[in-house]
Amino acid sequence: MRKFCLLLLVPILVYSQDTTETNIRGRFSGQWRSYFMHTSNKGGLKDFRALSTGGHLKYTLNLGSRFTLGTAVYNSTNMALQDLTVPDGITGRLSRYEEGQFDRLDLENDAVFILGELYVDYRHEKNRFTLGRMKINTPLINPQDGRMIPTLVQGFWYRHQQSSKNTFQLGVLNEIAPRSTGGFFNIGESIGTYPVGRSVFGTESLYGGNTESDFIFIFNSDVKLTENLQLDVWNYYVDNVFNTVYVKPSLRLNEKWLLEAEWLHQNRVGNGGNALQELRYFARSSSDIIGLQWRYTAQKTHISLGYDYILPGGQFLFPREWGREDLFSFQKRERSEGTANNHALVFTYDDSFALLSEKMNVRTIFSAGRHWKPTVTDAETNKYAMPDYTHVNLDLFFNIKGLRNLKPELLLTGKIGNRDIPDNPNFVFNKVDMLHVDFILNYNF
């Protein structure tokens, strides 16, 4: 960390411009957030609830038109609605979602603070260079902003914006602060700070704290090939663990219809994280996902139907600590990661309407998904023993006239288990036959 602080001082020491560009401006911004979360589980299984408040305070200093220094402190404070250190009496397990409001590695820590951003940013024409701690948003490494403190990264990021449809990016990361952990970890240490599931042999995975990796190299190219054809390519090289390439072509059929496809391919790099097989994160040699999505847009209405298939050859693995998966079949409060031979079909309807004599505008995102999972007893294709399920989400975003900075959100999630599930509460608890509610008050300033 001290090395990065010294590097951030270099631009100030060498900074010089024409006397006509001496404008130095500082600005405070941030967000105050209060977050209520409740999960109702089946039958006698324990229900969980949590209330947190906090947010982040950010300061940026513009040194002329090219250099910017930025820093932000993030906080989550537990309002003690429920003692989350007390497990369910039947399964012996803790909450799945509510503990993520705080430091899930130390639930007795009632107030989490983290210096999440500390960076220098340099812009010149169509180029942008960022060094330090920052937020990045990519299909697989992203803030996954569904808790109090987002996922943050440390390293170097370069972006070349040729046009709105042509972008080139690359970055090198050496540390990550996973959401819900309260600190930065080197790349190998960050893998396994979330639940580790089962190994392909059916025993508990042991890669947490045993994964050897020093850096992530990321490359991205978004190119408009023709007037109607777009190609987006991402590549994630995780030192000594795996390489993931994600390709998404998009064909615009007319003003309203868009056809998209996606292909994700992974292969093991080095020893997959550890030379010992029982401690290895990436156990199989490769995995693949293919997907197709139709999108319809008319003014404020957006409708899509997305399908993904994870092929049987190997589990799709990407650390949940680093971000949510931006696949066609993604729905809030669940992942496809950790499975093979998995089909998923998701319908999404996104629209806005006025309420209370147009004093309030509500954006509504409804999604319904059918996820065909392998049997929960097959650890080789179902890492987290997730049952076959149907998933329904209703996400409401409220824009109140006269309160421009206040952004309430209400999320309702229901997951229903399908087919026969073995008579074991561990296959149901916090997974299916449950109702989950989030109510969030965001005030941006």
Side-chain angles (χ1 to χ4, degrees):
M1 181 59 196
R2 278 180 286 183
K3 293 180 180 178
F4 267 93
C5 291
L6 291 173
L7 287 171
L8 293 177
L9 291 175
V10 171
I12 303 176
L13 298 175
V14 302
Y15 177 74
S16 62
Q17 296 190 71
D18 295 337
T19 55
T20 57
E21 292 189 33
T22 57
N23 190 13
I24 298 178
R25 303 181 310 278
R27 178 176 179 268
F28 278 104
S29 62
Q31 180 187 76
W32 167 72
R33 164 177 280 191
S34 287
Y35 204 132
F36 170 78
M37 184 177 283
H38 176 77
T39 301
S40 178
N41 280 301
K42 182 179 180 180
L45 296 172
K46 187 174 181 176
D47 299 337
F48 292 95
R49 58 191 179 275
L51 177 63
S52 54
T53 192
H56 74 271
L57 181 63
K58 184 170 183 175
Y59 180 75
T60 55
L61 180 65
N62 294 319
L63 305 175
S65 60
R66 295 184 180 179
F67 278 103
T68 300
L69 300 178
T71 185
V73 176
Y74 290 79
N75 163 253
S76 178
T77 299
N78 190 346
M79 303 304 291
L81 200 60
Q82 185 183 37
D83 186 352
L84 297 177
T85 65
V86 179
D88 169 57
I90 298 175
T91 64
R93 297 188 176 185
L94 299 171
S95 69
R96 177 181 176 187
Y97 303 104
E98 287 73 15
E99 68 176 12
Q101 294 288 65
F102 316 107
D103 181 358
R104 59 173 311 278
L105 301 179
D106 181 11
L107 289 177
E108 295 184 354
N109 183 4
D110 291 333
V112 181
F113 290 89
I114 179 173
L115 181 61
E117 298 180 56
L118 180 62
Y119 63 86
V120 59
D121 187 270
Y122 174 76
R123 302 188 187 198
H124 178 62
E125 296 180 348
K126 299 178 180 180
N127 303 293
R128 182 175 181 178
F129 305 83
T130 308
L131 176 68
R133 291 182 172 182
M134 68 191 95
K135 284 198 292 188
I136 64 171
N137 197 356
T138 80
L140 295 172
I141 299 179
N142 46 65
Q144 51 177 343
D145 195 23
R147 300 292 188 275
M148 284 295 293
I149 300 175
T151 294
L152 301 145
V153 303
Q154 178 176 284
F156 168 78
W157 196 259
Y158 167 71
R159 178 184 177 93
H160 176 77
Q161 187 76 49
Q162 185 66 31
S163 67
S164 60
K165 297 294 183 180
N166 292 281
T167 305
F168 171 84
Q169 299 180 95
L170 61 83
V172 180
L173 310 179
N174 74 325
E175 287 191 3
I176 291 182
R179 181 187 72 178
S180 312
T181 58
F184 278 83
F185 300 82
N186 69 39
I187 301 305
E189 289 175 337
S190 71
I191 302 175
T193 54
Y194 276 25
V196 295
R198 303 174 296 181
S199 73
V200 295
F201 309 107
T203 56
E204 182 182 0
S205 293
L206 300 175
Y207 61 80
N210 294 307
T211 302
E212 300 166 1
S213 182
D214 293 328
F215 66 90
I216 305 170
F217 177 75
I218 304 171
F219 167 83
N220 164 238
S221 177
D222 297 343
V223 180
K224 188 173 183 180
L225 300 176
T226 68
E227 185 65 26
N228 298 314
L229 182 62
Q230 175 85 16
L231 181 64
D232 299 345
V233 178
W234 288 85
N235 194 88
Y236 302 82
Y237 178 87
V238 182
D239 169 51
N240 192 47
V241 184
F242 64 83
N243 188 82
T244 297
V245 59
Y246 175 70
V247 181
K248 186 175 79 170
S250 305
L251 177 63
R252 179 158 296 282
L253 304 177
N254 52 45
E255 292 183 356
K256 296 182 177 181
W257 288 98
L258 181 69
L259 176 62
E260 299 175 298
E262 63 184 1
W263 172 56
L264 186 148
H265 174 73
Q266 298 184 293
N267 59 275
R268 189 170 65 217
V269 170
N271 55 38
N274 197 292
L276 298 177
Q277 193 174 41
E278 61 270 24
L279 304 180
R280 185 174 297 163
Y281 173 76
F282 205 93
R284 294 293 180 248
S285 60
S286 65
S287 71
D288 287 276
I289 303 176
I290 55 174
L292 192 66
Q293 179 169 255
W294 287 92
R295 294 177 61 89
Y296 172 83
T297 302
Q299 297 179 342
K300 295 182 180 180
T301 302
H302 306 273
I303 300 173
S304 66
L305 182 65
Y307 167 78
D308 278 312
Y309 177 39
I310 306 176
L311 276 62
Q315 295 176 357
F316 160 54
L317 295 175
F318 205 95
R320 297 187 175 200
E321 293 88 345
W322 298 352
R324 65 189 190 187
E325 58 221 26
D326 190 16
L327 300 174
F328 297 153
S329 58
F330 173 77
Q331 291 180 274
K332 285 185 176 181
R333 300 302 174 264
E334 200 47 76
R335 309 285 181 97
S336 296
E337 189 268 336
T339 55
N341 194 23
N342 182 98
H343 298 267
L345 183 67
V346 176
F347 169 81
T348 303
Y349 177 82
D350 182 345
D351 205 352
S352 298
F353 58 92
L355 281 179
L356 304 175
S357 301
E358 299 190 352
K359 292 181 180 179
M360 180 185 298
N361 182 271
V362 182
R363 182 186 176 191
T364 304
I365 305 177
F366 170 81
S367 69
R370 180 69 169 86
H371 300 260
W372 290 270
K373 293 287 183 181
T375 176
V376 294
T377 58
D378 184 2
E380 192 168 1
T381 59
N382 197 335
K383 177 180 178 180
Y384 300 101
M386 183 69 190
D388 189 283
Y389 69 99
T390 298
H391 188 162
V392 178
N393 276 353
L394 179 62
D395 208 358
L396 304 175
F397 299 86
F398 301 90
N399 293 294
I400 305 170
K401 189 175 181 180
L403 296 173
R404 184 178 61 181
N405 293 342
L406 184 64
K407 303 294 182 183
E409 177 186 355
L410 175 64
L411 172 65
L412 305 174
T413 294
K415 287 185 286 180
I416 303 168
N418 301 321
R419 302 189 299 190
D420 293 332
I421 301 174
D423 187 17
N424 183 335
N426 288 288
F427 296 139
V428 175
F429 179 63
N430 281 334
K431 294 179 179 178
V432 296
D433 297 338
M434 53 160 283
L435 176 66
H436 178 79
V437 179
D438 289 350
F439 181 65
I440 310 157
L441 284 176
N442 292 323
Y443 185 83
N444 305 312
F445 56 90

